[in-house]
Amino acid sequence: MAFTICNKHAILLLLVAMATSHIAHASDPDIISDFILPPNATADGNFFTFTGMRTLVGAHLPTTFKVIKATKAEFLALDGQSVSYAVLLFPSASVNPPHTHPRSAELLFLLSGSLQVGFVDTTNKLYTQTLQAGDMFVFPKGLLHFQYNNDAKNPALAISVFGSASAGTVSVPSTVFSTGIDDGILAKSFKTDVATVEKIKAGLVPKP
């Protein structure tokens, strides 16, 4: 039987997580109105509704790691509300590479499967854990972290809540190797040669 992302049980857990997401510690500036309405927008039920997660219901897991976000970039009603949301889809043996969220901590809830997770603090100490379905793990604000599904057969599905409407994501591989930093600087920084740097860059280019 093909694996589908959302069944009734998963949807229930998703709704519970959304309901509890408001307890996340806010890091955005406080607003002095109930909500922020963009120019030419109408304050009605549609404005406060996000339908972008409907694609998850009954869908099959993607072949590579995928994240579906609900930040103020996708959901304008979140502006000023100090909360956002993401669904993380992990096929077997897939990874969410090391990255940071500069404006928020991340509270991850594993709905199905298992994940190896970890973060590194400012003393370069690594904290890791293997999560099972139903577990939660917090990645402190701004610290480097990752998630890895090392199960060769089974996928994993997780949701994350952020205490910011725009937590931001700084991916280490793409930030270091795909933003135009000189190959010579990278080679010296990683104590390697330019040929190795070029090989790494080529591996990060998505296949057509």
Side-chain angles (χ1 to χ4, degrees):
M1 180 181 295
F3 179 85
T4 57
I5 295 172
C6 282
N7 54 30
K8 292 181 179 179
H9 183 61
I11 291 173
L12 176 61
L13 291 174
L14 196 66
L15 292 173
V16 170
M18 291 179 72
T20 59
S21 67
H22 296 286
I23 66 173
H25 183 269
S27 62
D28 294 350
D30 287 336
I31 60 175
I32 57 173
S33 58
D34 293 337
F35 50 85
I36 298 174
L37 191 66
N40 303 319
T42 301
D44 58 14
N46 291 325
F47 177 72
F48 298 101
T49 302
F50 181 70
T51 61
M53 300 298 179
R54 289 183 182 179
T55 58
L56 293 167
V57 181
H60 295 283
L61 203 74
T63 56
T64 59
F65 169 74
K66 183 178 181 180
V67 57
I68 301 177
K69 298 179 180 180
T71 71
K72 73 175 184 179
E74 298 83 17
F75 187 14
L76 293 178
L78 294 183
D79 191 11
Q81 301 304 316
S82 300
V83 67
S84 59
Y85 195 79
V87 175
L88 309 175
L89 311 172
F90 294 88
S92 58
S94 64
V95 64
N96 186 5
H99 61 282
T100 69
H101 302 294
R103 293 182 289 275
S104 176
E106 174 182 357
L107 182 60
L108 181 143
F109 177 34
L110 185 59
L111 281 168
S112 64
S114 63
L115 284 178
Q116 287 187 0
V117 301
F119 69 86
V120 180
D121 70 12
T122 55
T123 68
N124 286 332
K125 181 178 180 179
L126 174 65
Y127 300 81
T128 63
Q129 185 63 274
T130 299
L131 304 181
Q132 303 299 325
D135 293 347
M136 301 181 79
F137 192 86
V138 62
F139 303 99
K141 179 180 178 180
L143 296 187
L144 186 75
H145 60 279
F146 65 88
Q147 300 107 19
Y148 173 49
N149 178 12
N150 68 341
D151 192 320
K153 296 182 179 180
N154 299 307
L157 173 64
I159 56 177
S160 287
V161 175
F162 302 90
S164 169
S166 182
T169 299
V170 180
S171 172
V172 173
S174 60
T175 299
V176 173
F177 293 102
S178 301
T179 54
I181 300 175
D182 182 80
D183 288 355
I185 294 174
L186 292 176
K188 288 182 180 296
S189 299
F190 288 93
K191 302 186 186 306
T192 186
D193 52 56
V194 170
T196 300
V197 170
E198 292 177 343
K199 185 175 181 180
I200 293 173
K201 286 185 173 182
L204 292 173
V205 175
K207 295 181 180 179

